[in-house]
Amino acid sequence: GLRYRARHRPATHDATTGFHTMAKYFGDIGKAVKDVLTGGLSYDNKFNISSKATDDLSVKAESVMKGSDLTGDATATYVVDKDLSAELKLSDKGAAKVSVTKSGVVDGLKTVASADPSNLAKSLKVANTLMHGDIGVKADVSNALGGNPKIDASACLNLGDAQVGAEASLDATKGLASYALAAQLAADDLTVSAVISDQLSTIKAGAALKIDKDTTAAAEAMYKLNGGDLKLAAGIATKLDNGHAVRAAVCSAGHVSASYKANVMDGLDATACLQVDKDMKYKYGIQGTYKA
């Protein structure tokens, strides 16, 4: 029979290194399946380069091409101390975003306040994450100064081998705009999960199986109660002997997707993604990340 894990918070999944990261928040429930089937897939051509200018200051530049549309931005992050940092992001169109991250006010709490200085009232957002014992909470408040505040909140409770969670969006004019429930159970190398979203009208059930230390297989079924639409997906992800990572997935909607990630040289990683549908129409994207 299945042997249950010791009573600690089970891990979500990283296809290249196996089950190891903590399932702390609502969004981590079902992440083991998502990481294999869709996580990280991008069909844009993207390149970013990052470097530490000093011990306290890091900089990053990124360019993204979607079709024939090329955009770019640059980000500078300054670390004041272990509990306080500030970030400035500038786009090629002149838009600016300022973020301040503060931790340590309350044990386990991190708060990020961000805004476009040219439109503070509508752009101000305050994102809070709190980990307290076996409870992980997120609460984001946006448009607080714009006359129609919105709150997105979620909570995840660790029950040892299982986690349960809920999330909801509250709008000042609409009231309860959306809500979802989720649960996950881990036993040995198998993780099963279920998420009921879209005001409990969409059911998503999945399972991820760690075949060996480098390989994970996953499958998922999604059913819409309104209309009876059923979609199935299955995939596998593995890390090769050379350290490169390969993933492939098939969906009953009629497409196959795949990705290949490689370390091209010291500091430079590249990922190629491809999706082909039943009519042989395809899209692809190549992403490069260089850390100087």
Side-chain angles (χ1 to χ4, degrees), residues 212-286:
D212 58 39
K213 67 181 182 67
D214 295 321
T215 307
T216 300
E220 182 179 78
M222 184 174 70
Y223 181 72
K224 290 186 178 294
L225 299 178
N226 301 329
D229 182 37
L230 174 65
K231 291 181 181 178
L232 304 174
I236 191 166
T238 190
K239 184 177 180 181
L240 305 178
D241 291 340
N242 60 7
H244 298 180
V246 182
R247 171 177 45 175
V250 59
C251 178
S252 64
H255 62 258
V256 176
S257 56
S259 68
Y260 189 94
K261 182 178 180 180
N263 178 249
V264 180
M265 55 179 281
D266 188 30
L268 176 61
D269 289 330
T271 303
C273 303
L274 173 68
Q275 184 180 95
V276 182
D277 68 16
K278 58 186 178 183
D279 298 320
M280 298 308 293
K281 294 180 180 179
Y282 65 90
K283 56 184 178 179
Y284 65 90
I286 299 174

Side-chain angles (χ1 to χ4, degrees), residues 181 193-206 220-226 229-231:
L181 301 173
S193 58
V195 180
I196 308 176
S197 59
D198 300 330
Q199 288 73 264
L200 309 186
S201 68
T202 300
I203 302 173
K204 187 182 293 184
E220 182 179 78
M222 184 174 70
Y223 181 72
K224 290 186 178 294
L225 299 178
N226 301 329
D229 182 37
L230 174 65
K231 291 181 181 178

Side-chain angles (χ1 to χ4, degrees), residues 21-44:
T21 50
M22 303 280 272
K24 298 178 181 179
Y25 302 103
F26 178 88
D28 295 328
I29 297 177
K31 188 174 183 295
V33 176
K34 180 180 178 181
D35 282 350
V36 174
L37 299 181
T38 60
L41 287 175
S42 173
Y43 304 106
D44 300 328

